[in-house]
Amino acid sequence: MKITNVEAIWLQLPTVDERADGTQDTLVVKVYTDEGIVGIGEVDSSPMAAKAIIEAPMSHRIARGLRMCVIGENPLDIMRLWESMYQGSIFFGRGGAAQQAISGIDIALWDIAGKAMGQPVYRLLGGGFRDRLRAYASILFQETPEETYNLARHLVEQGFTAVKFGWGPLGTSEAMDLAQVRMARQGLGANVDLMIDAGICYDTVTALKRAHQFAEYDPFWLEEPLHPDNIEGYARLAAASPIRIAAGEQETTLAGFQALLDAGLAVIQPDVARVGGLSQAIQIGRMAVQRHRLCVNHSYKTGISIAASLHLLAALPNATLLEYCVEQSPLRQMLTRETFPVVDGYVAVPQEPGLGVTLDEDVIARYRVA
Ligand code: MG
């Protein structure tokens, strides 16, 4: 089998607002083969930047577009092709958008392998430890604490047993922070897990103070309170916080996750569409397993990322929670024909060959930019 083409499809809603909602655009990757199998992947990045990295012509030996690194090659040689893309983009890559772009092709290669072998991807990653994951609803803090309370009630009524609120007005004032978290907890009640995503809004001292203040509301974790480069702050925070500290969604490299684990984080959050795809996400997950920390996916895109995350988490011995974005964007809700319904708070791991997703080509046609 040979790769005949790589297509990077930039999708975007007609209006993109300045808020932390990654479901407003995406980059879908299709990898075509001479045997008719088409692999599907997704990149979480600036779609235009990642598309350019995939399609770029050769500047010199270590500055090549990712597409030309894999065309003509056997798609089943996944790690060899991953290395070819990584080495081919050393000059402008080794992290950031290049690593994010590698993710889309890598996920598509795993999809091809699963389809070619008639097996779900998690089995190719070593086999499934579970066939469903407990979904935590992931959504932004609302403008007012009362709106957050109402949304919390609504999500509990939908059967979620865990909910994360993030970003939004958190960090604007101490009073706002405490009111938002208090009302989130009141809306969820005592028996639903609450995660708080600070969205990089604190310095180290404030984050430590908030961790103690939020502890009263029994959050499952406090996520990304600090700038991703503030590793020293994360180490101080992890050592002194009464609640779990989670982070990692901005990281794209093994070294980045190694640093977060060394800093003592309780939870790391690789995004399969950012860290170089499933090939590297599974390595990151196993690093967490080795250290008895939790690995929970970051994912705030489409059904493609949800499916890839489910396969990743199914193949890790100690993963139980799934980030499950509940934004109502048509890209989040309608791009894949599979809807990943939440049943009794759980989402099933796809059992079809490959990722187990099919794309709605009408949705692609409607939102395609380039
Ligand atoms: Mg987050």
Side-chain angles (χ1 to χ4, degrees), residues 164 167 197 223-224 249 298:
K164 182 173 86 186
W167 299 74
D197 184 352
E223 173 176 328
E224 214 181 14
E249 69 182 82
H298 174 273

Side-chain angles (χ1 to χ4, degrees), residues 222-350:
L222 174 61
E223 173 176 328
E224 214 181 14
L226 305 177
H227 190 282
D229 290 338
N230 187 2
I231 299 296
E232 183 252 348
Y234 271 118
R236 286 168 57 196
L237 185 60
S241 168
I243 56 181
R244 292 180 190 87
I245 303 299
E249 69 182 82
Q250 315 300 339
E251 299 302 324
T252 57
T253 66
L254 291 180
F257 283 94
Q258 193 75 53
L260 292 178
L261 289 168
D262 288 345
L265 262 62
V267 185
I268 56 168
Q269 301 169 293
D271 189 317
V272 289
R274 298 181 181 180
V275 299
L278 284 160
S279 294
Q280 186 147 275
I282 191 74
Q283 295 183 60
I284 293 164
R286 287 175 185 147
M287 281 162 51
V289 171
Q290 257 182 349
R291 297 186 181 217
H292 304 276
R293 317 286 178 79
L294 293 179
C295 176
V296 182
N297 67 306
H298 174 273
S299 183
Y300 218 77
K301 283 282 171 200
T302 75
I304 303 170
S305 285
I306 292 177
S309 299
L310 284 165
H311 289 288
L312 167 71
L313 297 170
L316 290 172
N318 70 341
T320 57
L321 276 168
L322 170 79
E323 176 167 34
Y324 187 83
C325 169
V326 292
E327 296 282 352
Q328 292 306 303
S329 153
L331 295 178
R332 162 64 189 86
Q333 299 291 340
M334 291 159 54
L335 179 67
T336 60
R337 296 194 183 280
E338 297 74 17
T339 57
F340 307 97
V342 178
V343 179
D344 299 329
Y346 286 78
V347 175
V349 178

